[in-house]
Amino acid sequence: SKAKLFDQNTEVKTTFKDVAGLEGAKEEVQEIVDFLRYPEKYTTLGGKIPKGALLVGPPGTGKTLLARAVAGEAKVPFFSLSGSDFVEMFVGVGASRVRDLFKQAKEKSPSIIFIDEIDAIGRARGKNAMSGSNDERENTLNQLLTEMDGFGTNTNVIVMAATNRADILDKALMRAGRFDRQIFVDLPDIRERKEIFEVHLRPLKKTKDLDLDFLSRQTPGFSGADIANVCNEAALIAARNGKKAVDKQDFLDAVDRIIGGLEKKNKIIT
Ligand code: ATP
C-alpha cells in the first residue's frame, strides 16, 4: 500500500480544556480560531487574515496539543506532518508531499496545517551545501515558501508550525505573509504544573489523600509531557502492586523514575 503522506484528522476532539496553563498562548491562538470561524468579520473590513503562526518552546510543552486544540475549537480539519519525516527523503518527494498537503488542506478549507519540528526543513539555507540530502531539504523548504506565498487572502488555511530552535530557522520563513507571528510556549511554572496534573489525573482512579500542591512542588523543570508520563507511570506502578487506587507513594515513585529518565537523557546530550 501507498505510504501515508501526512496525517489528516477531520474531527478533532481536542479543545482548550485539554490544554492546561499556557494562558498567554491560548489567548493568542484564540484569534486564529476566530479567523477560521468568522473570516468575514475580518475580510469585510479589508483586513488580511494571517497565514502562519510559529509555536516556539522546549519539547513536550504542548505545542502540538495547542495546535490540535485550535482545530478542535474552530471545528476545522487538521492536517499535520513532522519536519523530521523529510530527513533522508528521495529527491523530489519532500516538495511533492508539501504540494499535496496544501492542495488537500485548500480543498477542505477552512482548515489547519500543522508542521511539527519545522527546523528539520526550515534551517537556514546555504549551510552544509555539499550534502545531497541538504539540497532536498532546500527543495522542500522552497516549496513550503512558494505554497504560503501562493495563498490568496481568502484561502482560509492557517499554517501552524512548531520548533524549539527558532534561532536556526531561515529568516525567509518569518517574513510578512509567512510565519509572521511567533507564540511562545514555555515550561510550566508551579501553578501551571498543578493545572496539568489536574488534566491528567482526571481519568485515574486515585486515593483521596493526593495533594496536587505537593506534586507540583516535587516536579520543577517538568514539561507537560513529563507530567503526563508521571500520571501514567503512577497508574502502572499501582497496578503492578495490585492496588485498587493510585496513591501518593505511587506518584513519588513515578516522579523518581521520570527524573531518572531525564538525567539519563541529559547525560547523552552533554
Ligand atoms: P515536542 O516539541 O516534543 O513535539 P510539544 O510541545 O509538541 O513537544 P506535545 O506533543 O503537545 O508537546 O505534548 C505531549 C503530551 O504532553 C500531550 O499530548 C499532553 O498529554 C501532555 N502535555 C503537554 N503540555 C500540556 C499542557 N499544557 N496541558 C496538558 N497536557 C500537556
Side-chain angles (χ1 to χ4, degrees), residues 18-20 22 58-65 116 164 196 199-200 224-225 228:
D18 302 300
V19 187
L22 302 182
T61 45
K63 298 182 289 298
T64 306
L65 187 67
D116 201 4
N164 39 42
I196 298 172
V199 166
H200 291 280

Side-chain angles (χ1 to χ4, degrees), residues 63-98:
K63 298 182 289 298
T64 306
L65 187 67
L66 186 64
R68 204 179 279 282
V70 170
E73 292 283 343
K75 301 188 174 64
V76 303
F78 185 76
F79 296 86
S80 65
L81 50 74
S82 176
S84 60
D85 296 344
F86 290 98
V87 179
E88 305 286 314
M89 201 166 266
F90 293 113
V91 177
V93 175
S96 77
R97 201 201 257 201
V98 167

Side-chain angles (χ1 to χ4, degrees), residues 59-60 187 197 221-232 258 262 265:
L187 283 171
F197 267 113
F222 278 43
S223 67
D226 296 330
I227 292 173
N229 270 339
V230 165
C231 294
N232 193 53
I258 304 299
L262 292 176
K265 216 162 53 185

Side-chain angles (χ1 to χ4, degrees), residues 20-121:
L22 302 182
E23 292 310 324
K26 271 196 259 183
E27 233 168 74
E28 292 193 58
V29 297
Q30 176 61 51
E31 199 174 24
I32 298 177
V33 173
D34 239 45
F35 292 142
L36 290 164
R37 292 189 73 168
Y38 318 105
E40 332 72 50
K41 185 172 136 188
Y42 298 88
T43 49
T44 50
L45 296 177
K48 278 194 193 121
I49 291 179
K51 297 175 187 173
L54 187 65
L55 303 173
V56 182
T61 45
K63 298 182 289 298
T64 306
L65 187 67
L66 186 64
R68 204 179 279 282
V70 170
E73 292 283 343
K75 301 188 174 64
V76 303
F78 185 76
F79 296 86
S80 65
L81 50 74
S82 176
S84 60
D85 296 344
F86 290 98
V87 179
E88 305 286 314
M89 201 166 266
F90 293 113
V91 177
V93 175
S96 77
R97 201 201 257 201
V98 167
R99 207 177 302 124
D100 231 54
L101 171 69
F102 277 77
K103 183 164 170 271
Q104 294 264 342
K106 276 188 260 188
E107 277 170 15
K108 293 265 163 66
S109 85
S111 62
I112 287 194
I113 290 176
F114 176 67
I115 305 172
D116 201 4
E117 299 180 59
I118 192 165
D119 39 285
I121 42 176

Side-chain angles (χ1 to χ4, degrees), residues 235-264:
L236 295 182
I237 292 171
R240 213 173 288 143
N241 294 315
K243 292 185 188 168
K244 293 261 184 313
V246 194
D247 65 24
K248 185 175 173 183
Q249 190 56 49
D250 301 321
F251 275 92
L252 286 177
D253 291 346
V255 167
D256 276 347
R257 232 166 220 253
I258 304 299
I259 289 176
L262 292 176
E263 278 171 358
K264 229 182 264 162

